[in-house]
Structure formats: C-alpha cells, structure tokens
C-alpha cells in the first residue's frame, strides 16, 4: 500500500511539472506580443504604404516593401515592367481605389506552399477597385505581413492548388 501512494505522488509531481512547462511555453510565446502591442497598426501601415506606391505607379518603391521570398519570385525590373504593362497598358487604368480589412494575427501560417511556415504573420484582405478600358472591376487579394529583421514586409498568398491538396491528403 505504501508503494501505491508513492507512485501516485510521483505521477502527480510529473503531471504538475509538465503542466508548469506548458504554461511557461505559452507565456514565453505570448510575451513578445505584449511588447509589440502596436504590431497590427505597423503591419497595416506597411501594407497601406505598399499599395499607395502601387496606386501612384511607383512599382519600384512597392517592390522594396516585399519580403525577400517575393523579391526572389519577382526580380525588380520584371515586376516593375509587368505591373505597369498589365494594369496601365492592357487594362487602361491610371490608378485604383483601395480598401483594406483590419489585420488578423495568425501563427504558424504557410503563406507560400513548400516554404517553412512563418511563426507569426498578419493577414490582410485588400480590395483594389479599378476603372479602365473594360469597365470597373475589383481585384481582391490576401496578403500577409511578417517581420524581416525590424521591418514589416509583404507577401502575397500562394496556397496549395486543389489537386496538390488532394494528393497530399491521400499520401
């Protein structure tokens, strides 16, 4: 009978220790956010600056606000040339109206398929309303803002394609 009590006491101590570790991990993960209470506003300001550059046709400056993964995907000269060509020449627009939703904080989010998930990001849904040769149309895009060093940088969302999701789930 003495052994059973010792075993229960030991299990209780292990359980308490594991609970304490879990609590410390949660506090440690949340603590940096307390010191960055203005992070959602900073992330939203970076996204707004990106799209303000886009509105004025300053695609070179907007490209500078991309995350390095986006810069890798779109070399600066190609990005500037393609954005101007598509929107200004093909669609015949000079500028656009902009509407942005409030940023939503997400954890461990896979923004670009095949790239390691980001531990923390802010998701913002952006609606650009264009008026041009082909009438008025809306372009709705989900973008994410993540810290790269001390600067908020923008990424566009590239989820897994439907066929790729089905392959992954059946494997």
């Amino acid at each position: 009978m003495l052994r059973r009590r010792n075993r229960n006491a030991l299990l209780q101590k292990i359980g308490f220790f594991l609970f304490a570790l879990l609590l410390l991990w949660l506090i440690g993960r949340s603590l940096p956010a307390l010191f960055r209470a203005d992070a959602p506003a900073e992330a939203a300001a970076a996204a707004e600056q990106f799209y303000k550059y886009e509105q004025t046709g300053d695609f070179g400056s907007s490209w500078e606000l991309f995350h390095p993964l986006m810069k890798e995907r779109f070399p600066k000269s190609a990005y500037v040339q393609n954005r101007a060509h598509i929107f200004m020449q093909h669609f015949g627009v000079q500028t656009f109206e902009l509407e942005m939703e409030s940023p939503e904080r997400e954890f461990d989010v896979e923004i670009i398929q095949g790239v390691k998930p980001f531990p923390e990001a802010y998701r913002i849904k952006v609606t650009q309303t264009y008026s041009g040769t082909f009438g008025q149309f809306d372009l709705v895009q989900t973008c994410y803002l993540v810290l790269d060093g001390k600067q908020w940088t923008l990424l566009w969302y590239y989820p897994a394609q439907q066929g790729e999701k089905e392959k992954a789930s059946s494997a």
Side-chain angles (χ1 to χ4, degrees), residues 100-164:
M100 292 175 36
E101 292 183 356
S102 297
E104 292 187 29
R105 186 176 179 199
E106 294 185 6
F107 295 102
D108 300 321
V109 60
E110 183 180 18
I111 299 169
I112 300 174
Q113 181 189 5
V115 174
K116 179 182 165 193
F118 289 89
E120 180 181 7
Y122 285 90
R123 179 176 45 88
I124 299 177
K125 187 175 174 182
V126 177
T127 303
Q128 301 166 69
T129 301
Y130 292 92
S131 292
T133 305
F134 301 107
Q136 185 174 358
F137 59 96
D138 291 338
L139 178 65
V140 180
Q141 189 168 31
T142 300
C143 66
Y144 284 87
L145 287 111
V146 297
L147 275 176
D148 184 42
K150 293 187 178 192
Q151 180 182 357
W152 286 100
T153 57
L154 187 131
L155 294 118
W156 286 329
Y157 182 50
Y158 291 93
Q161 300 298 325
Q162 189 62 32
E164 294 167 4

Side-chain angles (χ1 to χ4, degrees), residues 3-171:
R3 268 182 189 227
R4 177 168 265 162
R5 281 189 199 165
N6 287 342
R7 187 180 306 153
N8 286 340
L10 179 64
L11 288 175
Q12 285 179 341
K13 287 179 183 179
I14 290 173
F16 178 76
F17 180 73
L18 290 175
F19 177 75
L21 279 178
L22 176 66
L23 192 59
L24 286 173
W25 178 79
L26 288 171
I27 291 170
R29 184 171 170 106
S30 301
L31 198 57
L34 295 175
F35 295 107
R36 286 195 336 251
D38 55 348
E42 290 175 0
E48 188 172 348
Q49 185 62 54
F50 177 89
Y51 286 103
K52 292 248 183 235
Y53 286 139
E54 295 270 305
Q55 278 181 312
T56 61
D58 187 359
F59 302 116
S61 294
S62 62
W63 184 88
E64 293 295 333
L65 296 176
F66 270 147
H67 185 274
L69 289 172
M70 293 297 295
K71 290 179 178 179
E72 193 177 295
R73 184 179 285 253
F74 300 109
K76 187 174 186 175
S77 60
Y79 179 78
V80 170
Q81 184 178 3
N82 287 337
R83 292 292 277 192
H85 182 75
I86 291 168
F87 290 103
M88 294 177 163
Q89 292 175 4
H90 279 299
F91 293 141
V93 298
Q94 296 301 314
T95 188
F96 57 88
E97 296 298 317
L98 179 65
E99 185 179 316
M100 292 175 36
E101 292 183 356
S102 297
E104 292 187 29
R105 186 176 179 199
E106 294 185 6
F107 295 102
D108 300 321
V109 60
E110 183 180 18
I111 299 169
I112 300 174
Q113 181 189 5
V115 174
K116 179 182 165 193
F118 289 89
E120 180 181 7
Y122 285 90
R123 179 176 45 88
I124 299 177
K125 187 175 174 182
V126 177
T127 303
Q128 301 166 69
T129 301
Y130 292 92
S131 292
T133 305
F134 301 107
Q136 185 174 358
F137 59 96
D138 291 338
L139 178 65
V140 180
Q141 189 168 31
T142 300
C143 66
Y144 284 87
L145 287 111
V146 297
L147 275 176
D148 184 42
K150 293 187 178 192
Q151 180 182 357
W152 286 100
T153 57
L154 187 131
L155 294 118
W156 286 329
Y157 182 50
Y158 291 93
Q161 300 298 325
Q162 189 62 32
E164 294 167 4
K165 286 181 187 176
E166 291 168 3
K167 287 179 191 175
S169 66
S170 66

